[in-house]
Amino acid sequence: MVQELRKLYIGKYHKMITLDIKDLYVNLPKQGIIQSTTNWMDRNKIGADIKKQILQLLKIIIEQNYFQYNNQYFKPEKGITMRSPISGTLAEIYLQLLEEKYIKHWIENQNIVYYKRYVDDIFIIFDIGRINENIIKDNKNSIDEHLEFKITEETNNSINYLDMTIIRSTKGMEISIYRKPTSTNITI
């Protein structure tokens, strides 16, 4: 991503924003996970028998969705547990389907000139002459009633994304390390 950004030119008609999906795992819709997995298997031409077995296992995994807190067990109504080994894969399949349905056309039409997502953090550069941040945010927040996207706009030509500060200048994009105010400067 860093190399891509350094080569990318954005002008005065572009704007950078980030979106963060609030509490992604616990808000993923169970039916949406099943539908997106079915869609993924159809696109990848998974055989009917294997597809049936995978969906049966997936339904069991989703329904056996328990977690422990303060020596008590809970079963949430929606979402998946964050620490399950399969949770990241299920979230990724679901989010890829949403991007295919709701974002791809904006990229193809160059309303969005750059789009990157890492788990639940999204970085977007868009053309302000074609679209604005409110349309992007409203579109994302209307996809699923349980998923909430929080937007952060660039300030003084810079924005923080993951562990980077991305700065646009007349020379192009500059990248520096970003440390959250709560950072302890300890590497494990």
Side-chain angles (χ1 to χ4, degrees):
M1 177 179 166
V2 173
Q3 295 303 324
E4 290 175 6
L5 283 173
R6 287 195 172 129
K7 293 178 184 175
L8 185 65
Y9 170 77
I10 64 169
K12 62 182 178 179
Y13 297 108
H14 294 115
K15 187 171 183 179
M16 300 182 293
I17 60 170
T18 62
L19 294 169
D20 180 57
I21 305 172
K22 183 179 176 193
D23 302 327
L24 172 64
Y25 292 104
V26 297
N27 285 307
L28 287 172
K30 292 176 181 180
Q31 190 56 42
I33 291 169
I34 292 168
Q35 183 58 45
S36 61
T37 304
T38 302
N39 182 288
W40 184 89
M41 289 189 292
D42 290 344
R43 279 193 318 216
N44 289 283
K45 298 174 179 43
I46 303 297
D49 290 339
I50 294 173
K51 180 179 171 180
K52 182 179 176 184
Q53 291 173 7
I54 289 172
L55 288 175
Q56 286 173 338
L57 289 170
L58 181 58
K59 288 175 185 175
I60 291 168
I61 290 168
I62 289 173
E63 289 308 313
Q64 300 301 316
N65 188 24
Y66 297 95
F67 68 93
Q68 183 181 5
Y69 178 73
N70 281 344
N71 295 321
Q72 291 185 310
Y73 290 93
F74 298 90
K75 183 178 183 190
E77 294 294 316
K78 61 182 170 41
I80 55 179
T81 56
M82 290 173 33
R83 295 194 177 166
S84 169
I86 196 167
S87 294
T89 302
L90 297 178
E92 185 63 28
I93 290 170
Y94 182 69
L95 292 174
Q96 283 182 14
L97 177 69
L98 296 184
E99 290 168 341
E100 179 78 24
K101 289 172 91 172
Y102 299 100
I103 299 297
K104 184 180 178 185
H105 69 281
W106 282 346
I107 295 169
E108 289 172 346
N109 295 336
Q110 296 186 343
N111 295 338
I112 292 177
V113 296
Y114 189 82
Y115 181 95
K116 281 292 179 197
R117 178 179 53 80
Y118 180 77
V119 188
D120 63 345
D121 294 307
I122 303 165
F123 176 68
I124 297 174
I125 300 172
F126 63 93
D127 184 329
I128 61 174
R130 297 173 176 238
I131 198 166
N132 68 52
E133 60 275 11
N134 292 322
I135 292 172
I136 294 169
K137 184 182 83 166
D138 291 346
N139 175 274
K140 295 289 255 176
N141 281 323
S142 70
I143 292 170
D144 185 297
E145 66 183 89
H146 301 295
L147 295 182
E148 181 183 341
F149 293 79
K150 180 183 165 247
I151 190 170
T152 303
E153 299 178 39
E154 70 177 273
T155 317
N156 298 324
N157 294 326
S158 73
I159 195 161
N160 298 320
Y161 177 67
L162 301 176
D163 292 336
M164 300 179 290
T165 297
I166 303 167
I167 306 159
R168 68 157 126 182
S169 69
T170 55
K171 300 173 190 170
M173 306 293 276
E174 297 175 18
I175 311 292
S176 64
I177 295 174
Y178 169 68
R179 301 259 190 245
K180 292 182 179 180
T182 57
S183 176
T184 60
N185 289 328
I186 296 173
T187 302
I188 298 175

